Amino acid sequence: MKVLKFGGTSVGSSKNINNVINILENYGKEDSIACVVSAVGGITDKLLLAGKQAQNKDRSFVETFNFIKEKHFSIIKELNPENNDSILEYAEERHNSLKNLLEGIFLINELSPKTSDKLVSYGERLSSFIIAGTMKNRGLSADRKNSQELVITNSNYTKAEVDYKITNKNIKDYFSSTPQNITILPGFVASSKAGEQTTLGRGGSDFTAAIIAAALNVKQLEIWTDVSGMFTTNPKLVKQAYPISKISYQEAMELSHFGAKVLYPPTVQPVLSLGIPIHIKNTLEPDAVGTVISNEDIKSSSPVKGISNINNIALLTLEGSGMVGIPGFSKRLFETLSQEKINVIMITQASSEHSICLGIEDKESENAKDAIDATFENEIALGKIEPIVIEKGLSIIALVGDSMKNHQGISGKMFSTLGRNNINIRAIAQGASEKNITAVIDEKDVKKALNTLHEQFFESKTKQLNVFITGVGNVGERLVEQIKQQKKYLKENLKINLRVAGISNSRTMIFDESGLNLKDWKTQLANGEKASLQGFLENAKALNLRNSIFVDVTANADVANLYPQYLKESIAIVACNKIACSSDYTNYKELKRLSLAYNAPYLFETNVGAGLPVIDTLSNLIASGDKVNSIQAVLSGSLNFVFNNFDDSTKFYDVVKQAGTEGYTEPDPRIDLSGVDVARKILILARESGVEMNLEDIENTSFLSEAGLKSDTVDDFYQTLIEDEAHYQSLYASAKANNCQLKYVAKFDNGKASVSLQEIPEGHPFYNLEGSDNIVMFYTERYPKQPMIIKGAGAGADVTASGLFADIIRLGND
């Protein structure tokens, strides 16, 4: 004998019912079958809705009833195009009875638990009759047996308790004498000893199947549903989730208790003591392995077997100094909830006995508060305890695994992983058996929490990074292309799954929580929604993706002003925008503080030297205990390009124009040529060396003409370059006469900094600096005479993009 159960989705359509019949036909060739079925998918909810509508004197219950009837009749006709009279006759009779019941509820304006059980029983009774009738029409040896004649309970309506002595005898007697090969039984429904209709509670069809399996002591109970077993976590929220092939009874019950809907926890009870395995299978993929739940000693590479969650949770807190050392508070609290039939999902109590926190269903929270406040009315009036505090909009997440107790650091990994992603934990509970670790979090964080924890405990150390890029001009475009080119390499070699979740330019912006398709990102962006800096931030917050990184590829002060808001959401920042790091010192320090406080790295390597590891090298020197004495540097690839290409056979205007065309200067070349950009860079290096300094403290000796310095627009500035050609030629002539090269040099020495155009003599390390290269010389206590030198390309879209890319990868390796 085999016992199978098919859930609501499995019998939710004629197509799915045909799959069920095919499975039963194949199984029936080798053994006799007891098949328990749920109501057609969604029908139980519709029955309850119709009952509520009728109770509330809402005539729309008729529309809901019509939907229920049409759904069943449509399935009957699709399954049985011919020879369907007997099935249709039964269905018509049952639906007439259902309508009379709803009319009665409407007239008396009451829906008691007893009546509710009668109402919801129609779903399973109809589905079982339709399936059995269809199988008989197709010549199969099948019949229907009403479970209400077998499963006997008490009169605790809506969640009746089974009388196993009578029930087991009924089941054994029936199946020892039944002639047909396949028996179809409605799940969920039962009868009281007085003959009244009862139900077994939520998930009761699983329970019915387990009761029959235990009574017949079969080798295995099969639960057929719409997924291929119990998954490592919710596959609808975590794409990387996968089925667990083997799991223990205890693990299955823990996962089910904390929200895994594949299995109803009481299902395990009848088969547990007999050691009957439960096999979870997929009706839509019958050849899939599924999940076997048993007592077998299961070896696993991970101590965590699964991650589960329950939404719509409210946290109740009872606290007060009057509770400390006084026995009986907990007893009174739980008795009160028991009397109100309120199920407690999670409990945690401070060791000081000052407070008790309870997790219950959100919908029961107000009733619970009223009842508890009434119970402790006297203590509240005397100020011994506070009125119950309710926090809503919460969820419970739980790590489950039998082997967790043998592994150190599981809870540490769990909480540090959540903390890194700005997921606040409201309450924690861990049983002494250490089979689960439970935390209460905001419901809005559930998807991110499950993905983050699944990545930590189940994936092969692949870290997903979600990048939001603002500014896709010259440098930003190169960055996106580099990410597209290296995406596969990063995943295979560095175990980094890098996704671009958002892109914005000054006009439009686009988002995709699964990662944008970078093959046609320009087309997508052209058709995106209207861009706004605040809107981009709000979308990044709303997506709430783990390991989020905001990449600023602009020179915009308004973008830089939003950095604190990103950091407070634990969104890391990678920026080539120098404005934030060179702003007022208090703002610079605040960004550093926020980065630490919210565990959100703020990386700005490209602020100095584009793709050169200048800041990283300096940070390592400082971290290792070295001290910077002085810095000498050529930090503007733009100015180096200009002066390397300018001579007495060229015009200064033409060289500056060329630098702009090739991407070496900002769109406004005054930013580069005024020396402000270089001043910002030496300021950043001074600050990273540990010196408090502001931009106005840096001496900036400009080489521009007076007219150039006073120009109001970019066009005006370019005109001054033409008009003042003689001024710039005189600078070149002086350097040539002294056998020197013109270099724009930044210096930091003894707490003071300056930037200026200098004539560099032959033999100096700066003399032969070519193209747009940068060079930085660090004189430190460890490098007092021969400096540490960093040299290389310091400007250009590709190298700047690669510097940003390197910072992103650095975050992936943290």
Side-chain angles (χ1 to χ4, degrees):
M1 169 69 74
K2 291 184 180 297
V3 178
L4 286 71
K5 178 263 175 178
F6 290 90
T9 306
S10 297
V11 297
S13 66
S14 57
K15 179 182 178 181
N16 288 357
I17 290 174
N18 277 322
N19 288 336
V20 170
I21 292 173
N22 289 335
I23 292 166
L24 292 174
E25 184 178 5
N26 289 330
Y27 271 52
K29 292 174 183 177
E30 300 178 357
D31 211 338
S32 56
I33 307 296
C35 172
V36 177
V37 295
S38 296
V40 170
I43 290 298
T44 301
D45 288 340
K46 289 293 184 183
L47 287 165
L48 289 169
L49 174 62
K52 284 294 183 184
Q53 290 169 333
Q55 181 187 21
N56 295 332
K57 290 290 185 178
D58 181 353
R59 290 297 303 181
S60 59
F61 81 84
V62 176
E63 295 176 15
T64 306
F65 165 78
N66 288 335
F67 173 88
I68 295 168
K69 182 175 180 179
E70 289 169 11
K71 178 80 170 177
H72 285 118
F73 274 70
S74 173
I75 288 175
I76 292 168
K77 291 172 183 177
E78 289 170 3
L79 289 171
N80 301 272
E82 299 176 357
N83 192 27
N84 57 22
D85 291 348
S86 61
I87 304 176
L88 288 173
E89 183 180 343
Y90 176 85
E92 185 68 43
E93 178 186 325
R94 290 294 88 209
H95 282 95
N96 287 339
S97 173
L98 171 59
K99 189 172 184 182
N100 290 335
L101 178 60
L102 290 169
E103 292 285 2
I105 295 169
F106 181 85
L107 288 172
I108 64 174
N109 195 30
E110 183 182 343
L111 180 58
S112 67
K114 181 177 180 180
T115 304
S116 179
D117 273 0
K118 289 182 180 179
L119 177 66
V120 294
S121 71
Y122 281 90
E124 275 75 9
R125 291 162 64 193
L126 279 162
S127 65
S128 59
F129 193 90
I130 292 169
I131 293 169
T134 300
M135 294 181 73
K136 284 194 287 186
N137 279 348
R138 297 180 184 181
L140 298 173
S141 176
D143 205 352
R144 172 181 178 268
K145 178 64 176 177
N146 190 348
S147 302
Q148 292 171 319
E149 299 170 11
L150 302 177
V151 182
I152 306 302
T153 69
N154 63 9
S155 296
N156 186 15
Y157 298 104
T158 73
K159 197 173 182 180
E161 297 174 13
V162 177
D163 185 320
Y164 284 100
K165 183 176 181 180
I166 299 173
T167 297
N168 289 344
K169 183 178 185 304
N170 289 345
I171 292 169
K172 289 175 182 176
D173 289 347
Y174 174 76
F175 282 99
S176 66
S177 60
T178 186
Q180 72 272 5
N181 197 35
I182 301 171
T183 303
I184 308 297
L185 304 102
F188 180 53
V189 297
S191 293
S192 70
K193 294 174 184 176
E196 295 289 348
Q197 295 182 42
T198 57
T199 60
L200 301 178
R202 183 177 65 87
S205 291
D206 285 358
F207 201 1
T208 303
I211 292 166
I212 293 170
L216 300 176
N217 198 15
V218 297
K219 292 182 179 179
Q220 181 172 272
L221 166 62
E222 295 187 9
I223 305 290
W224 290 75
T225 180
D226 60 342
V227 292
S228 299
M230 298 190 81
F231 279 64
T232 46
T233 192
N234 187 342
K236 293 179 180 178
L237 298 179
V238 181
K239 290 184 178 180
Q240 293 77 24
Y242 55 86
I244 307 166
S245 59
K246 294 181 179 180
I247 192 170
S248 72
Y249 289 120
Q250 290 75 18
E251 289 169 331
M253 284 193 291
E254 291 283 356
L255 286 171
S256 299
H257 175 73
F258 289 109
K261 296 180 180 179
V262 174
L263 187 70
Y264 179 52
T267 298
V268 178
Q269 297 299 337
V271 296
L272 178 60
S273 59
L274 297 176
I276 298 173
I278 302 172
H279 197 172
I280 310 295
K281 300 270 287 177
N282 188 345
T283 309
L284 307 180
E285 295 181 38
D287 294 330
V289 175
T291 299
V292 175
I293 305 168
S294 69
N295 275 327
E296 182 184 343
D297 185 19
I298 301 160
K299 304 296 182 184
S300 175
S301 58
S302 172
V304 179
K305 191 58 68 72
I307 311 167
S308 199
N309 72 287
I310 311 175
N311 293 335
N312 302 314
I313 293 296
L315 196 65
L316 306 185
T317 303
L318 181 69
E319 64 178 333
S321 57
M323 295 170 58
V324 179
I326 306 299
F329 271 95
S330 298
K331 175 178 180 292
R332 293 167 63 194
L333 174 62
F334 294 119
E335 277 183 348
T336 300
L337 294 172
S338 176
Q339 289 166 5
E340 297 295 322
K341 296 185 177 180
I342 295 172
N343 182 44
V344 178
I345 301 169
M346 191 201 80
I347 305 166
T348 181
Q349 182 172 14
S351 57
S352 64
E353 301 181 34
H354 184 263
S355 67
I356 302 175
C357 288
L358 307 172
I360 66 172
E361 288 189 47
D362 205 323
K363 64 183 180 182
E364 296 180 327
S365 59
E366 296 296 339
N367 181 30
K369 174 177 169 56
D370 292 342
I372 295 169
D373 283 347
T375 296
F376 294 99
E377 182 179 8
N378 186 51
E379 287 85 353
I380 293 171
L382 294 173
K384 292 183 177 180
I385 62 172
E386 301 295 326
I388 279 283
V389 175
I390 304 177
E391 294 177 73
K392 296 185 178 182
L394 303 175
S395 291
I396 291 175
I397 55 171
L399 292 188
V400 172
D402 285 343
S403 301
M404 283 167 40
K405 61 185 176 183
N406 299 320
H407 287 76
Q408 296 177 338
I410 298 295
S411 58
K413 279 186 182 179
M414 176 183 182
F415 299 131
S416 63
T417 299
L418 295 175
R420 282 197 302 271
N421 282 276
N422 196 32
I423 298 169
N424 186 40
I425 298 170
R426 292 293 305 113
I428 299 167
Q430 181 173 9
S433 65
E434 299 184 49
K435 293 182 186 293
N436 78 70
I437 306 171
T438 306
V440 179
I441 64 173
D442 285 338
E443 193 167 322
K444 67 180 178 63
D445 289 329
V446 165
K447 184 174 181 179
K448 181 162 68 170
L450 293 179
N451 276 277
T452 299
L453 293 172
H454 194 272
E455 183 178 82
Q456 175 67 47
F457 290 104
F458 291 102
E459 297 171 37
S460 56
K461 299 305 176 186
T462 297
K463 186 173 184 178
Q464 185 183 107
L465 303 181
N466 294 287
V467 175
F468 297 85
I469 303 173
T470 289
V472 281
N474 211 6
V475 175
E477 180 180 343
R478 299 293 205 290
L479 174 61
V480 175
E481 292 303 316
Q482 288 177 14
I483 291 172
K484 181 173 72 173
Q485 176 185 324
Q486 291 298 105
K487 187 174 175 66
K488 183 178 179 182
Y489 175 87
L490 292 176
K491 194 165 187 177
E492 291 178 354
N493 294 277
L494 300 183
K495 302 302 181 185
I496 296 173
N497 180 18
L498 180 55
R499 310 189 311 177
V500 179
I503 295 177
S504 177
N505 57 26
S506 59
R507 299 176 300 281
T508 54
M509 58 186 184
I510 51 175
F511 302 90
D512 189 331
E513 68 174 323
S514 299
L516 292 162
N517 183 348
L518 298 184
K519 291 180 180 179
D520 65 343
W521 67 270
K522 290 183 181 179
T523 303
Q524 295 177 60
L525 184 59
N527 297 307
E529 62 183 286
K530 185 178 179 181
S532 77
L533 299 180
Q534 191 65 39
F536 196 78
L537 168 63
E538 293 304 323
N539 273 280
K541 287 166 56 178
L543 288 176
N544 203 19
L545 300 174
R546 67 191 187 279
N547 304 320
S548 290
I549 305 169
F550 173 63
V551 183
D552 179 8
V553 201
T554 74
N556 189 311
D558 291 334
V559 177
N561 289 337
L562 290 174
Y563 288 3
Q565 295 186 53
Y566 280 102
L567 294 174
K568 287 176 181 177
E569 295 296 326
S570 289
I571 298 175
I573 296 174
V574 169
C576 63
N577 187 343
K578 292 177 279 293
I579 292 174
C581 273
S582 59
S583 62
D584 187 81
Y585 184 77
T586 56
N587 184 61
Y588 163 82
K589 290 299 289 183
E590 175 65 4
L591 291 175
K592 291 278 190 173
R593 186 193 70 79
L594 291 173
S595 175
L596 289 172
Y598 290 92
N599 201 20
Y602 172 32
L603 302 183
F604 43 90
E605 182 65 73
T606 50
N607 277 197
V608 181
L612 297 176
V614 177
I615 293 175
D616 187 51
T617 301
L618 175 57
S619 297
N620 289 335
L621 288 172
I622 300 300
S624 67
D626 203 354
K627 182 180 179 182
V628 173
N629 295 326
S630 68
I631 302 171
Q632 295 181 33
V634 174
L635 293 173
S636 175
S638 310
L639 287 171
N640 204 40
F641 177 89
V642 168
F643 287 110
N644 278 336
N645 288 278
F646 175 58
D647 57 29
D648 51 12
S649 65
T650 62
K651 293 187 180 297
F652 196 67
Y653 167 84
D654 293 333
V655 176
V656 174
K657 269 290 188 181
Q658 181 187 354
T661 302
E662 296 189 21
Y664 292 119
T665 68
E666 297 290 343
D668 183 350
R670 291 174 296 180
I671 296 173
D672 299 288
L673 273 65
S674 68
V676 170
D677 189 60
V678 177
R680 285 175 174 155
K681 292 176 180 179
I682 194 66
L683 172 65
I684 292 168
L685 292 182
R687 287 176 170 179
E688 291 295 294
S689 300
V691 176
E692 181 175 342
M693 182 180 286
N694 279 313
L695 192 60
E696 55 268 24
D697 299 326
I698 298 173
E699 182 183 350
N700 183 355
T701 305
S702 178
F703 66 86
L704 292 175
S705 66
E706 187 174 348
L709 288 169
K710 293 181 178 178
S711 58
D712 294 326
T713 67
V714 173
D715 289 339
D716 289 344
F717 176 70
Y718 275 119
Q719 186 61 36
T720 69
L721 297 185
I722 297 171
E723 294 171 353
D724 296 332
E725 178 67 21
H727 166 72
Y728 300 110
Q729 285 293 343
S730 68
L731 296 176
Y732 173 77
S734 175
K736 184 177 181 181
N738 294 321
N739 196 28
C740 292
Q741 293 280 354
L742 289 172
K743 303 294 177 186
Y744 202 82
V745 178
K747 291 183 178 180
F748 170 72
D749 191 15
N750 293 321
K752 295 183 178 180
S754 64
V755 295
S756 63
L757 186 66
Q758 296 185 14
E759 296 180 358
I760 302 298
E762 192 172 2
H764 191 282
F766 294 174
Y767 183 84
N768 290 316
L769 197 64
E770 298 178 347
S772 61
D773 284 2
N774 281 191
I775 185 169
V776 181
M777 300 193 302
F778 291 116
Y779 290 90
T780 72
E781 290 183 348
R782 293 177 188 158
Y783 299 88
K785 294 181 180 180
Q786 295 297 324
M788 175 179 281
I789 299 176
I790 301 169
K791 179 182 177 182
D798 282 321
V799 293
T800 304
S802 68
L804 291 167
F805 201 178
D807 272 349
I808 293 170
I809 293 169
R810 187 175 290 115
L811 292 175
N813 289 327
D814 283 349

